[in-house]
Structures are given as structure tokens and as C-alpha cells.
Amino acid sequence: MARPRQTQNSVERRVLLVRAVAVLLALATGAGAAAIFIQYAAADGLTPMAVFSALLLCFSTSWLAWGACLGLIGLKPSRFRAPRNEGPISSRTVVIVPVCNEDPVVTFARVAAMYRSVSAATAVPVHFAILSDSRDPGIAAAEERWFARLMEETGGAGRLFYRRRSQNTGRKAGNIEDFFARSGGAYDLALILDADSLMEGETIVEMIRRMEADPSLGLLQTLPVVVRAQSIFGRVMQFAAAFFSPVFSRGLARLQGRTGPFWGHNAMVRVEAFAAACGLPVLSGPPPFGGHILSHDYVEAALLARAGWKVRLDIDIRGSYEEAPESVVEHAKRDRRWCQGNLQHLRIIGAPGLKAWSRFVFLQGVFAYIAPVLWAGFLISVVVDHVTQPPPNYFPDPHQFFPVFPSDETAKAIGLAIGIFGLLMMPKLLTTLEAMIAGRTKGFGGTWTALKSVLADFLLLSFLAPILMAYQTRSVWQVLMGRDGGWPANLRGDARLSLGEAWAASRFIVLAGAACLTVGYFLTTQILVWLLPVAVPMLLAPVAISLTSRAARPADGRARLFTTPEELVMPAILTLHDRVLAGWQPVAAPPAEVKSFPEPELARG
Amino acid sequence: MMRQSMFDDQATAAERVTQALALGRLPEAPRMMPTQLLERPQGRLAAWIAMLTAGFGVART
């Protein structure tokens, strides 16, 4: 018994060491950037505004460096082999599918596909529970009809369940909590999915085996792969997630120790652990900081860890899929919800008994939304400092004969910019190199196509970065002003936006960009050229949003830009889903018009 | 096309929806979710700040 304990201790010591090195490296990089900036700014005389800018730069750069550290730590392939139960499965398992005003045809077809897939993978019964929070009466009625069709098609009586709450208290977390309270006692394990999740039956069985092999494991998170993106924006994000996130997630997994993440879906929980540890309180005061906890997943992971359960992210589990927003506006809408949820964690960060790493994860979540605001603040403060600075005094001593020129620190400023640029690019470049060496690029259409995709991804996302920064800054501002963003339904599928719609969603960004350039032009033309990379994308925001929401060039058998392995070889579960859907929905209804669902074909009657 | 229908062929579509919903009722089980208090008592942070402020004050004098 002493040996495993010793191994456990050495693993924990290594995790602590890696965490300490990563945090210190990130902080040191931030401090270094601030020091260089101070030297640069001091050439013209150090002002309080310059010190303030340096402070903002320190925080922002530390955040960038933290991201780079995750990438660097994740570069090395993992040798970790998760234990699995090789014997017969004994756990009673339920797959939970929470839905809220989703298209029932597409969603229930996913359930049918997963049910078939898991039934083929194991003889042990796995139950599916569709937990509806739909408020729209038309959608609720369609859900009932399509559930009847689902039962007919699968013969899943006693294994497939559907229920709709009359009140959607606590939103998704409340929906799941209601299920655990009423029916949790019937199960040992629960796989929590999203309405757009898909998972291979083999994957579900593998997760059950891993959960059974380690009784201290409270939650097992998979790394869902984004699939089915159709628009330009969607496919860029899909490519970035498939190409870069395995490396960044491996970095995260190395830092997690026993305190891994929960991303709210595509994860399996031990019902006993979840039920005993994850009761969420309603925070005092009104939203956005009070009320129900919005980003409940992070909190639930922290509560499981607090209660002594292991929370683990296994990135080697394949066959776990999800869909992602198809346009900048949909992305921003989801981000607004996450922003409010993450900032709300400030109320929880000091909760008693939490692991230090859980608190750090909350802080990271807050920082993810504060960082763009800090960058925006840095840009503004630099401009203000430049404008308000008195002209250089070449003759500080009235009796001196020769003028004193301030030392030229331009090289430092350019060096600083290159350094920050490097922090952004280095992990991505190294990941590209790793993909080439490991032969991963084959799945992305070959090395040449993968390289073109990486370059195009960099250019497009760099152009969109100021637009996304503006949305995030507005989200943070709205939350701080006490505006509750609520929980708007996700628009899945076709998300094409006209120029008018894009203008309506982004005119504040255009106005901010125009104001930025006008102020720059009238106050200091020297700095104007430096503002252009930020201001031009802001001015063109509606065009960029509208264009990137358009459907990408359809696949014609040739490798195209942003190809992912799942596009080249479609996973079995996606094919199965398509097949079910084709039988159910001969004429596809536009997902935007969610109220006009086709009627299910129920024989006679 | 119907496959593996478990419904009475004579039933109407509406009746079959009702049947399916009845079959799809989740098993009732003992309640499992105790609510836990998360937040640190409000006063403690204020007490920390007050103590630190006092500490700084003493150090400066």
C-alpha cells in the first residue's frame, strides 16, 4: 500500500512544482514587460499615467504569458494511462440531456443515435433522460410528439425518459438538480450532455469503465471536439479548437492534479458525489452578482474537489462532440453569459474550504474577461499620457550651452511589442511544429493545407480581435453596471447575418472605432498609425461580422482551408445522427423558425 | 415507416403520445441534493480589511 501512496505524493509534488513554475513565469514576464515600458516611458519623464499604464501592461502580459505557459506545458505528449475496469460493468448509468427551447427534431435525433450507438457497444442498459426546460408552448408540444416518435423508433420504453418542468428555477443547474433530487437515487453514474452534444456509444462505455476503476473519481471531463460548423467564423473556430486545444488542454491537464475542470457537459459524474457535494446556493442580492449561479460548472468542480473527490480531464478520450456558435454575434451572446457567470465567481472565490487551485481557477475565469478590458485601458491610458505630456525640455539648466536630448528608447518599445507578439504566437507556432512532427497535420488536409489554415486563422482572428475585445469590454461594463444578461437561447445551425443585422449588433463598435480615430487625429497624429490595427477592424465590424457568418465553401472532396479530421472522416455517431434525421425530417425546417416543426410520422392516426 | 412499434395499432396518434409520455416517466428515487452554504460569512472580509488597515496605520506611526 505504501508504494501507491508514495507515487501519489510524488505526482502531487510534481503538479505543485509545475503550477509554481507556470505562475511565477507568467508573473515574471508581466513584470519584465512593465519594467521595459517604464524605462521607455521614463525617457520623456515618468508620469503617474505612465505608471498606471505599466501596471495595466503587467497584468495583461501576465495573462498572455499564462496562456503561453499552458501551451508550452502541453507540448510534450502524455504518457498517462487512465485505469479502467476490464471486468463486467455493474454501474447504473443515465445520460442526461437538458434542453431549453431547442429544435426537438435535431435534438431527439441525437438521443436516438446515441441510444443506438451505446446499445451496440454494451448489453448493459444505459438510460437517457431528456430534461426539458422549454417555455415556448409550441416547442413543448412538439417535444412531446417527437418523444413519442423517438420511443416508437427505438423501442426504448423503460430506458428513455422525458420530463418538462413547469418552472425552470435555477436554469440548467436547477434542471439537473431537480433530476438528481427526484431520480438520482436510481443511478450510480450520470453523463451530463448539452442539447448539441453527441457521443459515441464506445466512448460512453469507456467513461463508465474509467469511473468504475477509480472510486475516488467524482467527475470525468472529456475534451469535446467541435463539429458541424458551416459558416466561415464557425469553421475558423472549429479548426482552432481541433488544432490547438489538444495541446493547451494537455497543459491544463498537467496543472490540474486532483482538481480538474468541469465544462458543464460531455462529462460523467458520480451521482453520490455530485448529489452530496454540489448543492448550489442562491446568492444573496439581485443579479448579476446575486441570484442563481450562472457558471455553475466551475463551482461544481470546486465543490467536488472540496469534498475530497477527484475531478479529472482525460484528453485521450475520443468520440466526444459538440457544436459551437456560427457567428461573431452568437459567440458574443454566449460570451456575455459566461462573462456574467465568471464575474459572479468573485462572490464565491472566498468560500470556506475550497482548494487553492479552485480559487485560482475562479480568478483565471475572472481574468479571462478582465484582460481585454485591461488591454483597452492600456491603449487609452497610453494615448492620454502621450497627449497630456508636456513638450521635452532641452535646456533644463538655464545656463547650459548645449541642448539635452531625451535618450532614444524606441528600440525598447519595439522590442516590447515584438515580445508581446511572440507570446501570442510562440505557443501556436510550436503547436504547429508539434503537429507536423507528430503527423497530426494529416488530419487537417496535409501539412501544406494545415499551414495555410494556421496562417489564415491567425490573420482572421487578429482582425476580429478588436471586435471581440469591444464585445467583452461591453459585457464587463454591463455586468459592473448591474445589468442581468439572462440566459438567451442558443441559435444553432444557420446563423447568416445580413449587413443590416450585423450593423444593429455592432454599431457601438463602429462608433467607438470612429471616436478613437477622431481623438487620435486631433490630439496626436504621431500615434494615429499605431491605432489603425485596432480602429480599422472596429470600423469594419458590420462587414466582418456579416461576411464571416456566411456559409463556407462546401466540401467537394478536396482539402479546403480549415479542414478538420472530423470533416475528412465523419465520425460514426454523426453519420448515425444524419441517418436518423434524414428519416425524420425529409424536408429540413430552418432552425431559426423553431416554431414550425414538421409533424412526426406516427403510423395511423 | 413503422419499426418495432410498441403501441396498440388502433390507438390514435394523440393517444400514442400520451402512452409514450407515460412510459417515459422517470423513476422516482430518494432526494439526493442537500443545499450547501458556499459564501463566507459577510463580516469576515470586512474584519480582515479593518485589521490590515489598523496594522498599516500602526506601522506608519
Side-chain angles (χ1 to χ4, degrees), chain A residues 185-207:
Chain A
Y187 302 101
D188 303 306
L189 303 172
L191 175 64
I192 301 177
L193 298 181
D194 243 1
D196 62 5
S197 301
L198 264 174
M199 213 180 252
E200 302 279 2
E202 292 284 357
T203 308
I204 297 174
V205 173
E206 177 64 24
M207 292 179 83

Side-chain angles (χ1 to χ4, degrees), chain A residues 388-406:
Chain A
T388 54
Q389 208 161 49
N393 182 5
Y394 298 111
F395 297 94
D397 184 349
H399 305 295
Q400 75 185 75
F401 190 68
F402 293 109
V404 177
F405 291 106

Side-chain angles (χ1 to χ4, degrees), chain B residues 33-57:
Chain B
M33 185 75 80
T35 300
Q36 299 192 343
L37 253 188
L38 250 180
E39 286 184 278
R40 194 182 279 279
Q42 292 288 329
R44 212 181 301 177
L45 185 64
W48 269 102
I49 294 170
M51 206 174 76
L52 277 173
T53 315
F56 280 125

